[in-house]
């Protein structure tokens, strides 16, 4: 009976030791997780205060020590955002791609993919952005994001200078209507390059008048009138060679120059108008930007 | 009942060993401990994130002297193009015991990387030095890059292993016979036949244009003199002379530009080859740990 008591006491002691050891192991694990969580908080604080270089270091540190890969998505995503903030778009795209792979749900996956599109827009590889957006349309995971796809399509077209198509895609989404209206106004304000050239063909200097370059227009007109008169006068007096020389070397040169100037001035004006719009959007537009 | 509890405990240990072991090998409670900073630094180094890796190594070295970490800092600086720092660090490591020879080699390598050819011109080789052959290879290439022809082909090729001897031989031959165009010859050719100097240099389109334009103005000049239109004749004579002179000058300049292009292309090829072979310095294994 004494042996039975001893046996039971030993059993209880062993069970107690086992329970204590399990608690210790769980605590070590829990403490490690707490350390990693603190590291994430620290890295996030650096990100918030825009210390992007140090933030990347601390996110990478977290990645290195996170053996369970619990923070894989968030660290890669945040590293990518840091690179994006520093205009290192290639690195940003690399880390957004990794975060897309490591994402654990569709929301994270979609966010990563759209960030890749936005990085492509920012670095002016608009064809890449448009190609990605087309692929998203065929992906069932993006079925509820057609609005976003059209919205970023609008941005891609706007950054590549195709305002007409940009306006079309912005107008298809409710949150893009403001941009669609601005683009519509810009299209109305722009000068027609073809019209400027056409009227310059008819009347030298007219294209430059159209774009507001009055002195240049008057000079063009004056030169063309002068050399035209001398050319016709030479032909009239049967001085064929002189007529050809003046006509080809002088009159034709100034006539072509007038057309080139009309085109150039129209394009410059249009660039000024579009740049003004882009600056306005950069400073005042409250919606989502690349 | 005790037997079931033991099985339960065993299963728990099997599920959670890695946390237990990890806690023993790396201090999971302090990510900024010296050991952890070194481990993290090595991880960044392998990712080629040298700037961040160097920060971690420096933090580690502040209390823990370690030649390997110091070498990695120097190597990282070299890879980032911070040659002055790299040279200084390799030089101080060459006084250490464990990495003396390797650091000296990398110091020499850094001089080649930065085109410090004076260093090689004054270098005295030590036959007892274990990396003597590597230094000889670097020295020969420094002579190649300076365009020096004092070293014969046999002596030039002798230190190189057979695996790369053919490629090195091609560089030597390009250096000795760079296939330049003679600027004087280009000028003389254009003086005889306008445009031919440019064709000699490889600019066929320019050459034909020069021939046609000079020819046209010359014809117009002669034709107008024959027709007794003196003023126009002299205008065309002036134009023909200007184009003729311009064609000679252009041919000389084209030949000089061609030669500069050959030099630049050769230089780029050499640098690419050297980078591919790490400037003939072996990569120590501890760099990859």
């Amino acid at each position: 009976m004494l042996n039975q008591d001893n046996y039971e006491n030993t059993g209880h002691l062993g069970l107690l030791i086992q329970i204590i050891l399990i608690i210790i192991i769980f605590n070590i694990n829990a403490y490690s997780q707490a350390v990693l969580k603190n590291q994430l908080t620290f890295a996030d604080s650096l990100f918030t205060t825009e210390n992007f270089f140090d933030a990347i270091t601390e996110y990478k540190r977290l990645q290195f020590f996170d053996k369970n890969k619990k923070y894989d998505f968030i660290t890669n995503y945040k590293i990518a955002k840091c690179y994006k903030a520093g205009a290192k778009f290639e690195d940003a795209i690399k880390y957004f791609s990794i975060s897309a792979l490591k994402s654990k749900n569709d929301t994270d996956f979609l966010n990563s993919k759209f960030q890749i599109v936005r990085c492509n827009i920012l670095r002016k590889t608009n064809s890449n952005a448009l190609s990605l957006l087309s692929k998203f349309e065929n992906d069932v995971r993006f079925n509820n994001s057609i609005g976003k796809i059209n919205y970023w399509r609008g941005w891609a077209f706007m950054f590549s200078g195709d305002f007409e198509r940009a306006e079309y895609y912005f107008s298809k989404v409710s949150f893009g209507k403001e941009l669609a209206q601005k683009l519509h106004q810009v299209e109305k304000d722009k000068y027609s390059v073809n019209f400027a050239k056409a009227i310059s063909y008819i009347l030298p200097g007219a294209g430059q008048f159209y774009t507001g370059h009055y002195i240049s227009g008057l000079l063009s007109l004056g030169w063309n009138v002068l050399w035209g008169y001398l050319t016709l006068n030479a032909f009239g007096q049967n001085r064929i060679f002189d007529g050809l020389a003046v006509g080809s070397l002088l009159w034709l040169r100034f006539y072509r120059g007038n057309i080139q100037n009309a085109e150039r001035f129209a394009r410059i004006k249009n660039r000024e108008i579009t740049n003004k719009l882009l600056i306005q959007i950069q400073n005042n537009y409250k919606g989502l930007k690349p | 009942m005790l037997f079931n509890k033991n099985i339960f405990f065993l299963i728990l240990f099997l599920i959670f060993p890695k946390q237990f072991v990890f806690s023993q090998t790396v201090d999971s409670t302090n990510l900024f401990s010296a050991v952890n900073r070194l481990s993290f630094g090595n991880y960044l180094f392998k990712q080629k994130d040298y700037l961040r890796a160097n920060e971690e190594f420096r933090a580690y070295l502040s209390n823990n002297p370690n030649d390997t970490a110091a070498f990695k800092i120097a190597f990282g600086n070299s890879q980032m193009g911070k040659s002055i720092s790299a040279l200084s660090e390799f030089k101080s490591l060459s006084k250490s015991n464990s990495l003396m020879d390797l650091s000296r080699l990398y110091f020499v390598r850094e001089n080649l990387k930065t085109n410090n050819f004076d260093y090689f011109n004054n270098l005295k080789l030590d036959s007892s030095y274990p990396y003597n052959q590597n230094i000889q290879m670097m020295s020969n290439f420094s002579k190649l890059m300076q365009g020096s022809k004092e070293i014969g082909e046999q002596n030039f090729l002798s230190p190189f292993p057979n695996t790369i001897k053919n490629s090195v031989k091609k560089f030597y031959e390009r250096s000795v016979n760079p296939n330049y165009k003679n600027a004087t010859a280009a000028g003389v050719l254009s003086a005889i036949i306008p445009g031919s100097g440019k064709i000699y240099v490889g600019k066929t389109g320019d050459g034909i244009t020069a021939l046609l334009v000079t020819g046209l103005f010359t014809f117009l000049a002669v034709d107008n003199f024959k027709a007794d239109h003196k003023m126009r004749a002299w205008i065309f004579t002036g134009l023909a002379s200007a184009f003729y002179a311009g064609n000679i000058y252009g041919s000389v300049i084209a030949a000089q530009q061609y030669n500069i292009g050959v030099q630049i292309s050769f230089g780029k090829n050499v640098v690419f080859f050297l980078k591919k072979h790490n400037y003939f310095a072996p990569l120590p294994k501890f760099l990859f740990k």
Side-chain angles (χ1 to χ4, degrees):
Chain A
M1 198 167 173
L2 197 63
N3 285 339
Q4 182 65 21
D5 283 341
N6 282 343
Y7 184 72
E8 282 181 5
N9 285 340
T10 308
H12 287 141
L13 186 61
L15 179 60
L16 185 64
I17 292 169
Q18 287 167 20
I19 290 169
I20 289 168
L21 278 170
I22 289 166
I23 289 167
I24 290 170
I25 289 167
F26 270 113
N27 274 331
I28 288 170
N29 192 40
Y31 192 63
S32 304
Q33 291 303 313
V35 166
L36 294 178
K37 200 162 187 300
N38 287 342
Q39 175 65 12
L40 179 64
T41 309
F42 175 50
D44 283 342
S45 69
L46 290 168
F47 178 81
T48 314
T49 52
E50 297 186 359
N51 286 328
F52 296 120
F53 180 85
D54 292 335
I56 289 173
T57 306
E58 298 313 323
Y59 283 125
K60 285 191 175 186
R61 196 188 306 275
L62 173 57
Q63 270 183 346
F64 175 66
F65 288 103
D66 176 22
K67 299 301 176 194
N68 292 336
K69 306 288 177 201
K70 183 181 170 193
Y71 299 99
D72 238 7
F73 166 75
I74 192 67
T75 50
N76 280 301
Y77 190 82
K78 285 285 177 72
I79 289 171
K81 287 200 86 173
C82 289
Y83 277 123
K84 185 183 167 193
K88 306 256 188 216
F89 298 120
E90 214 167 293
D91 290 312
I93 287 173
K94 174 184 154 191
Y95 280 95
F96 277 130
S97 304
I98 296 171
S99 72
L101 285 169
K102 305 286 183 188
S103 57
K104 294 186 170 82
N105 55 58
D106 280 349
T107 309
D108 291 343
F109 176 78
L110 295 180
N111 286 340
S112 301
K113 287 292 190 180
F114 275 118
Q115 285 285 2
I116 293 171
V117 168
R118 288 160 76 171
C119 287
N120 274 297
I121 292 171
L122 284 170
R123 68 173 185 177
K124 303 275 181 82
T125 48
N126 296 308
S127 54
N128 285 359
L130 290 167
S131 161
L132 281 168
L133 290 167
S134 298
K135 279 185 192 160
F136 293 171
E137 270 185 329
N138 297 326
D139 190 330
V140 295
R141 287 173 290 189
F142 290 88
N143 279 350
N144 294 332
S145 305
I146 300 296
K148 270 191 184 175
I149 290 172
N150 285 327
Y151 182 74
W152 293 118
R153 261 210 190 104
W155 275 97
F157 280 120
M158 185 161 68
F159 268 49
S160 60
D162 190 344
F163 280 30
E164 228 175 284
R165 277 207 262 191
E167 185 193 336
Y168 168 72
Y169 283 107
F170 281 134
S171 60
K172 288 176 100 173
V173 295
S174 57
F175 45 89
K177 294 253 187 285
E178 186 188 339
L179 287 171
Q181 277 167 4
K182 287 188 195 298
L183 290 172
H184 183 71
Q185 187 56 41
V186 157
E187 282 298 302
K188 276 168 65 178
D189 293 342
K190 269 169 136 177
Y191 292 90
S192 167
V193 173
N194 289 336
F195 179 70
K197 279 166 76 173
I199 57 175
S200 285
Y201 272 113
I202 301 164
L203 179 66
Q208 289 152 81
F209 263 82
Y210 165 63
T211 56
H213 292 84
Y214 303 116
I215 295 174
S216 178
L218 278 170
L219 280 171
S220 267
L221 182 64
W223 283 121
N224 276 280
V225 164
L226 173 66
W227 301 122
Y229 166 75
L230 289 175
T231 303
L232 294 171
N233 191 41
F235 279 121
Q237 290 177 4
N238 232 11
R239 288 182 286 118
I240 308 297
F241 173 76
D242 293 341
L244 280 173
V246 174
S248 61
L249 293 175
L250 292 166
W251 190 19
L252 189 62
R253 187 250 171 267
F254 278 94
Y255 183 72
R256 268 203 354 246
N258 133 73
I259 295 163
Q260 284 168 355
N261 268 353
E263 182 183 357
R264 192 164 59 93
F265 291 147
R267 288 197 194 283
I268 288 171
K269 281 284 185 186
N270 287 345
R271 211 173 305 133
E272 281 170 11
I273 292 166
T274 53
N275 282 346
K276 200 172 152 190
L277 168 74
L278 291 173
I279 290 168
Q280 201 190 33
I281 290 174
Q282 185 181 358
N283 293 334
N284 301 331
Y285 178 64
K286 300 283 181 254
L288 203 53
K289 291 177 268 200
Chain B
M1 195 172 159
L2 188 62
F3 181 69
N4 287 339
K5 283 171 198 157
N6 284 337
I7 288 175
F8 172 67
F9 180 66
L10 181 64
I11 290 167
L12 275 176
F13 259 123
L14 286 171
I15 291 168
F16 294 108
K18 56 182 184 216
Q19 281 84 0
F20 190 71
V21 170
F22 183 62
S23 305
Q24 302 305 308
T25 55
V26 178
D27 183 2
S28 61
T29 60
N30 178 12
L31 303 185
F32 292 87
S33 67
V35 167
N36 282 346
R37 292 202 89 151
L38 181 65
S39 301
F40 182 49
N42 287 332
Y43 166 74
L44 290 169
F45 188 88
K46 271 191 257 178
Q47 284 194 335
K48 298 189 183 176
D49 192 346
Y50 298 117
L51 194 58
R52 290 190 174 87
N54 283 2
E55 264 187 42
E56 299 301 309
F57 289 141
R58 283 200 187 93
Y60 176 76
L61 286 173
S62 59
N63 291 319
N64 306 279
N66 182 309
D67 286 345
T68 309
F71 188 94
K72 284 184 177 179
I73 290 174
F75 185 87
N77 280 331
S78 173
Q79 295 301 96
M80 287 191 288
K82 295 184 178 180
S83 298
I84 296 172
S85 305
L87 280 165
S88 159
E89 282 148 9
F90 281 130
K91 196 170 183 183
S92 41
L93 268 172
S94 64
K95 293 167 192 156
S96 81
N97 286 331
S98 57
L99 294 173
M100 180 170 66
D101 293 332
L102 193 64
S103 304
R104 275 175 66 191
L105 175 66
Y106 269 76
F107 178 78
V108 175
R109 171 188 176 273
E110 198 63 29
N111 277 289
L112 181 63
K113 240 183 126 183
T114 50
N115 295 339
N116 183 9
F117 301 130
D118 283 340
Y119 175 81
F120 288 95
N121 294 340
N122 299 324
L123 185 66
K124 284 184 178 58
L125 294 169
D126 174 8
S127 55
S128 64
Y129 179 60
Y131 295 110
N132 200 36
Q133 186 183 0
N134 304 77
I135 303 264
Q136 186 66 64
M137 290 195 274
M138 292 180 198
S139 178
N140 285 0
F141 252 82
S142 82
K143 291 190 173 63
L144 184 93
M145 288 159 83
Q146 290 176 81
S148 164
K149 291 175 183 156
E150 61 185 46
I151 187 167
E153 186 177 327
Q154 278 299 104
N155 287 339
F156 180 84
L157 293 175
S158 60
F160 295 98
N162 291 336
T163 47
I164 59 171
K165 217 164 220 164
N166 271 343
S167 306
V168 173
K169 190 177 175 183
K170 283 179 189 163
F171 280 117
Y172 180 81
E173 282 163 3
R174 274 174 75 180
S175 164
V176 167
N177 295 315
N179 203 23
Y180 288 149
K181 297 290 180 189
N182 189 322
T184 310
V188 167
L189 281 170
S190 279
I192 300 166
I193 302 172
S196 58
K198 289 213 170 158
I199 294 172
Y200 160 67
V201 167
K203 294 191 171 182
T204 312
D206 282 359
I208 293 171
T209 307
L211 177 67
L212 288 174
V213 171
T214 311
L216 175 68
F217 282 125
T218 308
F219 166 76
L220 286 171
V222 167
D223 194 50
N224 275 280
F225 272 123
K226 278 185 186 170
D228 208 29
H229 294 142
K230 289 224 166 35
M231 187 169 141
R232 285 175 219 174
W234 280 116
I235 289 171
F236 284 122
T237 304
L239 285 169
S241 306
F243 275 93
Y244 178 71
N247 130 76
I248 295 171
Y249 176 74
S251 299
V252 170
I253 296 298
Q256 288 172 348
Q257 284 176 341
Y258 179 89
N259 295 341
I260 290 169
V262 165
Q263 280 173 8
I264 289 171
S265 166
F266 178 70
K268 278 186 181 172
N269 290 156
V270 165
V271 169
F272 181 78
F273 181 79
L274 286 170
K275 277 184 181 168
K276 192 176 157 189
H277 293 92
N278 194 35
Y279 291 83
F280 307 121
L283 283 166
K285 286 188 185 144
F286 62 76
L287 284 182
F288 305 110
K289 283 188 187 156

